Amino acid sequence: MACNMRTRDLLTGHLIVKRRTGDSSVVRAVVVDRNILVKNTPGSSNLIMKTLTKPQVETVDMDVSKGRFGRFGGKYVPESLITCLAELEAEFNSALRDTAFQAELATALRDYVGRETPLYFAERLTNYYKNSKGEGPEIYLKREDLSHGGAHKINNAIAQAMIAKRMGRKCVVAATGAGQHGVATAAACAKLGLECTIFMGTKDMQKQSSNLRLMKLLGATVESVDGNFKDASSEALRDWMGTMESSYYLTGTVVGPHPHPSMVREFQSVIGKETRRQAMERWGHKPEVLLACVGSGSNALGLFHEFVKDKDVRLIGVEGAGFGLESGSHSATLARGDVGVYHGALSYLLQDEEGQIVEPHSIGVGLEYPGVSPELSYLKDTGRAEFYTATDQEALDDWKA
C-alpha cells in the first residue's frame, strides 16, 4: 500500500519508509529531520508516495575519483585553483585512510557532536495516517536536530575543520544561509582553536538573528553580504582565493568544484549509516522509502548515500516551490532547472534562456540557492531518486495547523 505523507510536512527533514517483513498491510516510515516541524493537518491530500513499486533506474557510471557523477560535477575553475583543489583532494583521501584521523573523528562525533542521534517513533503521526482497518505507515524521526548546534551541519564541519588543521591552516572561511552551517563551523573552529570568518547574506541575517548571535558568541567574525546565501557563497569564495596559502574554505553544501561535493557527502553519510543500523536493530530490515528536504543537498545525500545501491529502497526529495512553480519565484532547481555550470560544477541550475541566473525564492531560509548537488542531479537523471515540491503557503498552513 502507499504511504500517505504530505509534501509540506517534509520541508525540514528526511523520511524513510519500510514495510514490515511478512505483513503487506503495514509500511514503516522514518523521518530524519534537521529541525522537526511535522503537523497533523486534517484533510491533507498531497500524496508524494503514490506507490511502492520500484521506479525504473538507469545505470550510469560515476567516476567519483574525478568528481564526476555521470555528466555532472567536475572542476570548472580558474587555473589558479587547480593546484589548491588537488592538494585538498589528496589530503581528503589521505585522511580517509588514516586510522588516527578516523579515530579522532569518531570520538568528536560521539563526544562533541552527540552522535548517534535517536531514531524516534512518531506515534501520533503514525496513528493519523492509519485507515479504517488500522493500516498505514509507521513513521520514525531521525533526530538530526539534536546534534550540537541544532542541525546536521556539524557532522561535516568538525571533520573538515580537522582537515584544515591537518593541512596547517590557521583560518577557516565559510558561507552560510540559514546560519546552521555558520554555527557548526564556528563551533568546530572553537573546539580546534582555529580563526573563523563566516559570510552571510543580509536577508538571511535579518531572518536568523539568533544564529547570527550564536556564531559571534562562538568566536566567529561574521561578514555581511548584500543579498542571500548565493551571494554570501560567492563572496566567501572570492575571499578564500585571495588567502589560499593560509586559509581553508569550509563548504557546508554538496556543490562546488571537486572534491567539495564528495567531501561533504562523505562526512554527512553518517546519517544514513546510523539509520541502516538503527533500522536493523528496531525492526530487522532496511527502510523502504527515504525522504528528505532538498536545498542544495547535503541533508538529503547524508541520508540517501548509504542506500543508493539498495534499488528496493526509494529515495524521495522535496524542494521549496516558493510562490508556485508557474510563478517563477521558487527554489525548485531539480524540478524546473536546466543543466549549467555554477560555482565550479555542472549541475541543474535555475537560469533564463540566456544562461543568466534566475533569483531563487523560498520561505525556507538557506534554500535560496540557484544550484544543486551534482550527485542529486545524477540521481534525478538516472531515475534513482524522485523529487517533488512544496510551496511557501503549504509550509505555512501546515506549521499553523
Side-chain angles (χ1 to χ4, degrees):
M1 68 175 276
C3 168
N4 302 344
M5 284 295 296
R6 291 160 291 161
T7 305
R8 59 177 173 267
D9 287 344
L10 304 160
L11 274 177
T12 56
H14 314 287
L15 172 87
I16 310 166
V17 180
K18 178 202 174 287
R19 190 188 304 279
R20 181 177 297 161
T21 303
D23 187 347
S24 61
S25 66
V26 176
V27 173
R28 281 209 177 107
V30 180
V31 182
V32 187
D33 276 77
R34 296 186 298 178
N35 295 308
I36 292 173
L37 182 61
V38 179
K39 302 288 184 179
N40 296 343
T41 305
S44 174
S45 60
N46 280 341
L47 290 182
I48 67 171
M49 295 178 211
K50 300 173 183 175
T51 173
L52 286 177
T53 303
K54 291 187 293 183
Q56 293 296 113
V57 178
E58 175 188 353
T59 301
V60 177
D61 290 335
M62 291 192 296
D63 190 349
V64 180
S65 65
K66 295 182 180 178
R68 286 289 184 180
F69 306 92
R71 58 177 170 158
F72 301 105
K75 296 179 185 177
Y76 297 86
V77 297
E79 191 67 29
S80 59
L81 282 181
I82 294 297
T83 300
C84 182
L85 291 172
E87 180 187 5
L88 176 61
E89 182 179 2
E91 198 64 51
F92 169 56
N93 290 328
S94 174
L96 292 181
R97 298 188 297 267
D98 187 337
T99 55
F101 176 89
Q102 293 299 326
E104 182 183 354
L105 177 58
T107 299
L109 289 174
R110 183 193 65 205
D111 298 341
Y112 191 66
V113 175
R115 305 210 70 89
E116 62 184 30
T117 55
L119 193 59
Y120 170 72
F121 177 51
E123 184 176 5
R124 293 182 61 225
L125 192 60
T126 293
N127 291 335
Y128 176 85
Y129 283 108
K130 288 182 178 178
N131 61 22
S132 58
K133 298 180 180 180
E135 300 170 335
E138 290 184 0
I139 302 170
Y140 291 77
L141 309 178
K142 183 76 167 91
R143 295 293 303 274
E144 288 303 294
D145 60 305
L146 296 181
S147 296
H148 182 41
H152 70 294
K153 293 292 188 180
I154 190 67
N155 302 326
N156 164 69
I158 191 66
Q160 285 209 54
M162 288 169 55
I163 288 179
K165 194 165 185 177
R166 180 185 174 101
M167 296 176 70
R169 302 295 195 262
K170 304 296 184 182
C171 306
V172 166
V173 176
T176 191
Q180 293 173 332
H181 178 59
V183 169
T185 301
C189 288
K191 180 183 186 301
L192 297 173
L194 298 170
E195 295 181 20
C196 181
T197 300
I198 307 294
F199 289 84
M200 190 173 188
T202 51
K203 294 179 180 178
D204 294 332
M205 293 173 81
Q206 293 173 1
K207 298 176 182 178
Q208 295 291 307
S209 59
S210 59
N211 281 338
L212 174 62
R213 184 166 55 252
L214 185 53
M215 282 182 262
K216 293 179 177 179
L217 286 172
L218 287 166
T221 298
V222 183
E223 299 286 351
S224 64
V225 180
D226 188 32
N228 52 31
F229 177 52
K230 71 177 181 64
D231 305 295
S233 297
S234 296
E235 193 59 35
L237 285 168
R238 279 191 286 267
D239 181 86
W240 173 60
M241 288 177 66
T243 58
M244 285 188 294
E245 297 298 323
S246 59
S247 66
Y248 181 96
Y249 178 64
L250 203 162
T251 179
T253 64
V254 281
V255 298
H258 180 68
H260 287 146
S262 296
M263 291 179 70
V264 177
R265 184 258 291 141
E266 175 64 28
F267 294 134
Q268 291 294 358
S269 65
V270 64
I271 301 171
K273 292 173 182 175
E274 284 183 6
T275 297
R276 182 188 290 275
R277 183 170 62 252
Q278 291 170 319
M280 293 300 295
E281 292 171 353
R282 295 292 288 268
W283 59 78
H285 195 267
K286 62 192 173 187
E288 283 194 329
V289 177
L290 314 180
L291 194 149
C293 65
V294 175
S296 55
S298 67
N299 172 44
L301 277 177
L303 176 65
F304 291 172
H305 183 67
E306 171 69 13
F307 298 89
V308 166
K309 294 182 180 179
D310 294 286
K311 300 300 176 63
D312 54 344
V313 177
R314 288 179 66 188
L315 311 178
I316 299 177
V318 182
E319 296 184 291
F323 295 125
L325 296 180
E326 302 305 322
S327 71
S329 295
H330 58 77
S331 294
T333 306
L334 289 166
R336 288 300 177 90
D338 297 307
V339 176
V341 174
Y342 190 64
H343 284 166
L346 184 74
S347 69
Y348 278 99
L349 180 64
L350 295 177
Q351 55 186 322
D352 62 23
E353 294 179 355
E354 297 180 353
Q356 299 301 307
I357 297 300
V358 173
E359 188 73 18
H361 164 76
S362 175
I363 197 171
V365 181
L367 297 183
E368 295 176 317
Y369 185 77
V372 72
S373 158
E375 191 167 355
L376 286 183
S377 298
Y378 162 81
L379 293 177
K380 175 196 172 180
D381 266 17
T382 60
R384 180 63 189 93
E386 309 160 53
F387 296 94
Y388 299 83
T389 62
T391 66
D392 290 351
Q393 192 59 53
E394 286 175 320
L396 285 172
D397 288 347
D398 192 61
W399 182 78
K400 294 175 181 177

